[in-house]
């Protein structure tokens, strides 16, 4: 069985500061990992994904994440927060195409001016 | 290219009624998955269809059902609605070529009164 843990249900950052959202997973097989963002009353938008290859993955809107197998982690970072980054972020894992995505509980990001 | 389209966006139903939600995937995508999002349980997998066949099913009661048509459009049905079925229902489609490109729709917000 797979599971995803996101540390911190709420994170507050100042505009221009580093954004760091933590995600740890458990999976009995090599995982495929995703970060999604959700704005109010919207669906989920893919920020980035790790399937194979380079462990540092760059996504949209300046976000990146690093897959660390030894730490079973896939933390999301952005060097400089913008007001438009205020949203809820979800980490997800799956083990194969067509299999379900298992989501973490989400982290809501507040950006202070 | 059009995204994943879910209709209707909002729905209010009375306890005991049934409801049908619709999802039109991105053109060319053959896999459609459904998720339920609630504040208490987060994002939970309902089921996944590929080429009109249900391949995976989550842990939901039999009141939740779905189907996929030959044009890949999918519907999900919930019978005998309960208050706890109030949620955002999200549909995701993917091409199924191994790129794990799950694209989500904006969801249908179901309120059961």
């Amino acid at each position: 069985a797979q599971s995803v843990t996101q540390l911190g249900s709420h994170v507050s950052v100042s505009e221009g500061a580093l954004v760091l959202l933590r995600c740890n997973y458990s999976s009995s097989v090599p995982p495929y990992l995703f970060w999604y963002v959700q704005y109010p009353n919207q669906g989920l938008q893919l920020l980035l994904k790790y399937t194979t290859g380079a462990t540092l993955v760059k996504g949209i809107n300046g976000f990146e994440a690093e897959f660390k197998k030894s730490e079973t982690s896939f933390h999301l970072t952005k060097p400089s927060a913008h007001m438009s980054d205020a949203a809820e972020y979800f980490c997800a894992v799956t083990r194969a195409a067509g299999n379900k995505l298992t989501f973490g509980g989400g982290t809501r990001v507040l950006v202070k001016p | 290219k059009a995204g994943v389209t879910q209709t209707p966006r909002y729905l209010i139903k009375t306890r005991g009624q049934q409801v049908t939600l619709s999802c039109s995937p991105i053109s060319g995508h053959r896999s459609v998955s459904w998720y339920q999002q609630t504040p208490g349980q987060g994002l939970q997998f309902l089921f996944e269809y590929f080429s009109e066949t249900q391949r995976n099913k989550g842990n939901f009661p039999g009141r939740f059902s779905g189907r996929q048509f030959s044009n890949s459009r999918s519907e999900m049905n919930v019978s005998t609605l309960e208050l706890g079925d109030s949620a955002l229902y999200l549909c995701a489609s993917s091409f199924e070529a191994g790129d794990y490109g799950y694209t989500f729709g904006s969801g249908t917000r179901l309120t059961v009164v």
Side-chain angles (χ1 to χ4, degrees), chain A residues 32 34 36 38 41-44 46 49 51 88 90 94-101 103, chain B residues 9-10 31 35 37 43 45 48 55-56 88 90 96 98-102 104-106 109:
Chain A
Y32 301 95
F34 306 79
Y36 285 90
Q38 186 177 36
N41 297 316
Q42 296 292 320
L44 301 175
L46 180 67
K49 62 186 176 188
T51 53
E88 190 159 20
F90 293 92
T94 189
R95 61 179 184 179
N99 274 260
K100 67 176 184 178
L101 289 168
F103 287 89
Chain B
R9 284 297 311 276
Y10 301 92
S31 169
Y35 292 83
Q37 185 178 25
L43 282 152
F45 172 76
E48 187 256 350
R55 291 198 302 187
N56 290 290
L88 180 66
L90 293 165
E96 190 64 7
D99 68 349
Y100 303 92
Y102 302 94
F104 282 80
S106 296
R109 170 79 61 186

Side-chain angles (χ1 to χ4, degrees), chain B residues 1 12 59 71 80 102:
Chain B
K1 162 163 142 173
I12 299 175
N59 295 323
N71 62 358
T80 319
Y102 302 94

